């Protein structure tokens, strides 16, 4: 909304001078702090899928702020997603969430996690090889690398959040080296996620990136929670089935909401060559959105040569 307002102004100003933009960034930061805190009080298998709430929220809020039209697909997708959220909350694994530094150390050296880590590293290296050496930048390759990094991120985030929560309660956990190891792992994996996600958003439409990334991220995060924190160890078969069914409904809802939307680009004004000092051309050159330059004049045009 802030960017749209700035474009419509006669005098173009940088986006960071907008109070509305700073308000949005502040709210975004508060939301991420809440998301980080949630990992300290709830299982990964519950927190990760609930990210679909942001998709529903953005779909409905855009009607008020961006004046978009509410589609039938938005209502259907929202209904499926809310139903999936209800099943997720109802059948989420019920495991103790107070994780001490010693417990996390034991989880790090457990055989299931070591095998899982080795497989993840191998798959990530293969994908990275195709991405770097073979220049394969397919959306699935990029988002799979993001999902593999996300699994490490959620493990580290839950560990850090849990240890901070225990320390606040009086059980100091910040003196253990594993806390700082998890901090570094969290920051590093997040940084590389942002890198690959920016690449995906640059190459592909958001309507394709958002639903696929949500499905990949949620699946990877849930698997990492099951393997590292053993969240479904004592769950009943019916609870596991209903939880997976809730995830499926959430996936379908997000795909329906985010899919089949046309990308709206802000209009870029034409550049009038007549306004360039020393030039008398009145033709207009349209900026090329896929290039760092604004375009070139046709060299074969005799009239252009004469003007030059």
């Amino acid at each position: 909304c802030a960017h749209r307002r700035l474009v419509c102004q006669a005098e173009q100003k940088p986006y960071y001078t907008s109070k509305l933009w700073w308000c949005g960034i502040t709210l975004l930061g508060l939301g991420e702090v809440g998301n980080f805190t949630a990992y300290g009080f709830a299982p990964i298998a519950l927190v990760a899928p609930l990210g679909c709430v942001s998709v529903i929220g953005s779909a409905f809020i855009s009607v008020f702020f961006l004046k978009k039209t509410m589609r039938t697909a938005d209502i259907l997708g929202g209904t499926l997603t809310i139903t999936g959220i209800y099943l997720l909350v109802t059948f989420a694994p019920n495991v103790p969430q107070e994780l001490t530094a010693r417990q996390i150390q034991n989880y790090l050296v457990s055989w299931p996690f070591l095998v899982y880590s080795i497989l993840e590293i191998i798959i990530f290296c293969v994908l990275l090889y195709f991405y770097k050496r073979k220049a394969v930048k397919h959306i699935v390759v990029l988002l799979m690398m993001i999902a593999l990094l996300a699994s490490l991120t959620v493990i580290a985030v839950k560990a850090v959040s849990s240890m901070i929560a225990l320390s606040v309660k009086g059980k100091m956990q910040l003196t253990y080296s594993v806390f700082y190891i998890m901090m570094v792992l969290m920051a590093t994996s997040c940084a590389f996620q942002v890198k690959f996600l920016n690449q995906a958003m640059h190459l592909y439409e958001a309507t394709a990136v958002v639903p696929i990334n949500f499905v990949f991220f949620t699946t990877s995060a849930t698997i990492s929670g099951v393997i590292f924190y053993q969240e479904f160890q004592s769950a009943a078969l019916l609870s596991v089935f209903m939880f997976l069914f809730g995830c499926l409904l959430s996936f379908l809802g997000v795909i329906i909401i985010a899919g089949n939307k046309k990308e709206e680009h802000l209009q870029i004004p034409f550049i009038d060559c007549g306004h360039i000092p020393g030039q008398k051309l009145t033709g207009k050159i349209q900026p090329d959105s896929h290039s760092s330059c604004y375009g070139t004049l046709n060299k074969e045009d005799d009239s252009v040569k004469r003007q030059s």
Side-chain angles (χ1 to χ4, degrees):
C1 186
H3 284 298
R4 286 175 178 268
R5 289 186 181 182
L6 289 171
V7 167
C8 294
Q9 291 179 359
E11 182 183 356
Q12 298 297 314
K13 296 180 179 180
Y15 62 88
Y16 50 80
T17 61
S18 170
K19 294 180 180 179
L20 185 62
W21 185 84
W22 279 108
C23 179
I25 290 296
T26 303
L27 291 173
L28 181 62
L30 290 174
E32 290 304 318
V33 170
N35 190 41
F36 172 81
T37 307
Y39 280 103
F41 297 95
I44 291 176
L46 175 60
V47 178
L50 288 182
C52 61
V53 173
S54 64
V55 179
I56 300 176
S58 63
F60 284 91
I61 291 173
S62 63
V63 175
F64 300 99
F65 282 89
L66 303 180
K67 308 302 179 184
K68 292 190 176 181
T69 305
M70 179 64 68
R71 307 174 305 158
T72 305
D74 294 331
I75 299 174
L76 175 61
T79 303
L80 288 174
T81 307
I82 291 172
T83 305
I85 289 171
Y86 173 77
L87 294 176
L88 288 172
V89 174
T90 304
F91 296 98
N94 186 16
V95 293
Q97 296 306 313
E98 287 194 352
L99 296 168
T100 63
R102 292 190 179 276
Q103 285 178 305
I104 294 169
Q105 287 174 348
N106 293 333
Y107 288 146
L108 279 173
V109 296
S110 63
W111 280 108
F113 177 69
L114 291 176
V115 173
Y116 174 73
S117 300
I118 293 171
L119 289 175
E120 252 203 0
I121 292 171
I122 293 173
I123 296 172
F124 184 82
C125 289
V126 170
L127 293 173
L128 190 62
Y129 170 78
F130 282 104
Y131 172 75
K132 287 289 188 182
R133 297 293 183 181
K134 302 296 183 180
V136 177
K137 297 183 179 180
H138 193 273
I139 186 171
V140 174
V141 174
L142 288 166
L143 296 184
M144 277 191 69
M145 288 194 292
I146 293 171
L148 292 173
L149 290 168
S151 65
L152 298 178
T153 302
V154 294
I155 288 173
V157 166
K158 182 171 180 60
V160 171
S161 181
S162 299
M163 285 188 280
I164 290 176
L166 282 176
S167 299
V168 170
K169 292 179 181 179
K171 302 177 182 178
M172 180 55 63
Q173 305 292 314
L174 307 186
T175 56
Y176 291 88
S177 59
V178 69
F179 173 79
Y180 301 97
I181 293 172
M182 287 298 185
M183 284 281 288
V184 172
L185 178 62
M186 178 180 68
T188 306
S189 58
C190 280
F192 281 100
Q193 277 186 81
V194 171
K195 171 184 169 59
F196 291 123
L197 188 57
N198 279 335
Q199 182 72 22
M201 293 296 289
H202 177 71
L203 295 174
Y204 301 96
E205 301 287 357
T207 53
V209 174
V210 170
I212 298 174
N213 184 54
F214 173 72
V215 172
F216 281 12
F217 168 81
T218 303
T219 303
S220 178
T222 304
I223 292 173
S224 65
V226 170
I227 293 176
F228 189 84
Y229 293 109
Q230 303 172 7
E231 292 182 341
F232 281 96
Q233 190 173 21
S234 58
L237 184 61
L238 178 62
S239 297
V240 175
F241 174 78
M242 294 303 294
F243 179 86
L244 294 176
F245 184 62
C247 286
L248 178 62
L249 290 179
S250 299
F251 292 163
L252 288 175
V254 170
I255 291 171
I256 291 173
I257 293 174
N260 299 321
K261 279 188 177 180
K262 294 181 180 179
E263 284 287 300
E264 294 185 8
H265 300 285
L266 298 177
Q267 293 184 350
I268 304 174
F270 286 90
I271 296 176
D272 191 343
C273 291
H275 290 166
I276 300 177
Q279 298 292 335
K280 297 181 180 179
L281 293 176
T282 57
K284 295 175 180 179
I285 305 171
Q286 174 65 15
D288 184 3
S289 60
H290 300 289
S291 174
S292 59
C293 60
Y294 284 109
T296 56
L297 296 174
N298 188 357
K299 294 182 180 179
E300 300 300 323
D301 193 340
D302 293 332
S303 63
V304 173
K305 289 180 179 180
R306 286 196 298 271
Q307 290 288 351
S308 299

